[in-house]
């Protein structure tokens, strides 16, 4: 099966690895772009040039911590991280930073392609479900209000009752909608990961908690003492704010 239209960004210092992965992805219908240094990598990411990134955590003398911060900042794009040395701590750090998978060299290019395709399929399934949910909301009340925020699901917009626009990434907005659609219910990390990513949650994966922390910073009056999205110890999270729905007049 060909995956036409999807673009893969590969960042690695080993030209042989780059060539092998490029050939493997292109055989399956992907287009490939390569970053040869950190500025080029950042520029391509800023331009939203890729659907998935294969990133060597030692890329261009980039230390692992810097690489993981880079993954965290660009968490809306799926990442497959690669390490030259098998190290459990590095693998866990990559997954906690938001990487969708982590592989160890020497790489089997067929496995890299297979894992990348599986990630992209899961994301497409989630996007289709989110799109279906959005279409369903068009036949329901247009605006959802909670606390001092007003949500327009059809336009992917959030603003305060005083008119201040709230900037949310697509993933943050989808997280908020998930909570709004399940208000007063406890959502486990497994349920959140399945709904937003189509994957199972790993106990070593901190990306769900990190994303909720980011969302709290944007919608809570005091993120250190959250009143809207509360932690249920040992269970998950629950959206406790009262919700009002309004038709567009």
């Amino acid at each position: 099966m060909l995956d036409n239209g999807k673009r893969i960004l590969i960042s690695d210092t080993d030209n042989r690895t780059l060539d092998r992965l490029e050939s493997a992805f292109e055989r399956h219908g992907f287009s490939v772009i390569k970053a040869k240094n950190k500025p080029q990598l950042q520029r391509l990411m800023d331009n939203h040039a890729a659907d998935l990134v294969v990133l060597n955590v030692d890329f261009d003398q980039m230390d692992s911590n810097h690489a993981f911060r880079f993954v965290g900042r660009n968490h809306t794009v799926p990442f497959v991280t690669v390490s030259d040395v098998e190290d459990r701590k590095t693998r866990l750090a990559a997954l906690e930073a938001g990487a969708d998978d982590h592989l160890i060299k020497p790489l089997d290019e067929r496995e890299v392609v297979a894992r990348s395709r599986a990630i992209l399929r899961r994301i497409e399934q989630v996007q289709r479900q989110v799109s279906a949910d959005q279409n369903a909301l068009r036949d329901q009340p247009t605006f959802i209000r909670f606390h001092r925020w007003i949500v327009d699901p059809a336009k992917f917009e959030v603003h305060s009752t005083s008119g201040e626009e709230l900037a949310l990434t697509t993933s943050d907005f989808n997280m908020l909608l998930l909570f709004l659609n399940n208000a007063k219910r406890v959502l486990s990390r497994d349920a959140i990961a399945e709904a937003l990513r189509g994957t199972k949650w790993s106990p070593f994966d901190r990306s769900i908690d990190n994303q909720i922390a980011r969302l709290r910073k944007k919608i809570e009056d005091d993120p250190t003492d959250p009143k809207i999205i509360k932690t249920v110890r040992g269970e998950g999270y629950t959206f406790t704010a009262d919700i009002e729905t309004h038709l567009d007049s």
Side-chain angles (χ1 to χ4, degrees):
M1 183 178 69
L2 297 181
D3 293 85
N4 296 309
K6 297 295 184 182
R7 181 176 292 179
I8 308 298
L9 169 58
I10 307 174
S11 300
D12 201 301
T13 54
D14 181 10
N15 288 329
R16 185 168 179 268
T17 297
L18 286 173
D19 292 342
R20 287 173 54 204
L21 290 178
E22 180 179 28
S23 296
F25 276 111
E26 288 182 343
R27 283 198 299 271
H28 286 83
F30 292 96
S31 61
V32 176
I33 50 178
K34 296 179 285 189
K36 298 181 180 179
N37 52 55
K38 286 184 288 187
Q40 186 177 24
L41 173 63
Q42 186 64 68
R43 183 171 63 254
L44 290 169
M45 293 301 300
D46 290 343
N47 292 332
H48 308 286
D51 297 292
L52 181 142
V53 180
V54 179
L55 172 66
N56 189 323
V57 296
D58 301 315
F59 171 66
D60 194 27
Q61 299 181 349
M62 179 190 291
D63 66 80
S64 296
N65 289 333
H66 186 283
F68 299 146
R69 287 195 296 271
F70 183 85
V71 172
R73 288 196 305 270
N74 296 279
H75 68 278
T76 57
V77 178
F79 275 83
V80 174
T81 52
V82 176
S83 178
D84 296 329
V85 180
E86 185 170 0
D87 178 12
R88 182 172 179 270
K89 289 183 178 180
T90 300
R91 172 180 172 80
L92 294 180
L95 296 175
E96 288 177 354
D100 296 86
D101 206 342
H102 184 75
L103 301 175
I104 308 297
K105 287 188 175 183
L107 298 175
D108 181 334
E109 59 268 26
R110 294 169 300 178
E111 180 182 7
V112 178
V113 172
R115 288 177 178 267
S116 299
R117 291 172 67 183
I119 291 168
L120 289 169
R121 282 198 300 270
R122 289 197 299 267
I123 291 173
E124 288 178 349
Q125 290 171 357
V126 171
Q127 290 174 339
R128 284 197 295 269
Q129 183 59 54
V130 169
S131 178
D133 292 343
Q134 294 301 317
N135 290 334
L137 283 170
R138 295 178 191 278
D139 298 326
Q140 299 178 16
T142 304
F143 299 115
I144 304 172
R145 177 173 176 171
F146 68 95
H147 189 44
R148 60 186 182 90
W149 301 107
I150 299 173
V151 182
D152 185 342
K155 295 183 179 179
F156 281 79
E157 293 179 352
V158 182
H159 62 272
S160 70
T161 52
S162 61
E164 172 192 1
E165 185 176 356
L166 180 64
L168 293 178
T169 65
T170 300
S171 58
D172 286 344
F173 190 89
N174 290 337
M175 173 80 78
L176 177 58
L177 275 187
L178 177 65
F179 277 116
L180 290 172
N181 288 330
N182 294 274
K184 312 294 185 177
R185 294 176 54 193
V186 176
L187 293 178
S188 68
R189 292 171 178 82
D190 281 328
I192 294 171
E194 180 68 30
L196 297 182
R197 304 175 184 171
T199 62
K200 292 186 179 297
W201 173 76
S202 164
F204 301 109
D205 183 1
R206 298 288 299 173
S207 60
I208 295 293
D209 302 292
N210 292 338
Q211 187 175 353
I212 288 175
R214 288 193 298 269
L215 184 58
R216 280 172 167 167
K217 288 180 181 179
K218 296 178 180 181
I219 66 174
E220 297 275 5
D221 292 334
D222 180 4
T224 63
D225 184 24
K227 303 298 185 184
I228 299 173
I229 301 176
K230 291 189 175 182
T231 302
V232 181
R233 190 174 298 276
E235 297 291 335
Y237 296 94
T238 182
F239 190 94
T240 62
D242 293 329
I243 292 176
E244 298 176 6
T245 56
H246 302 273
L247 290 171
D248 186 2
S249 57

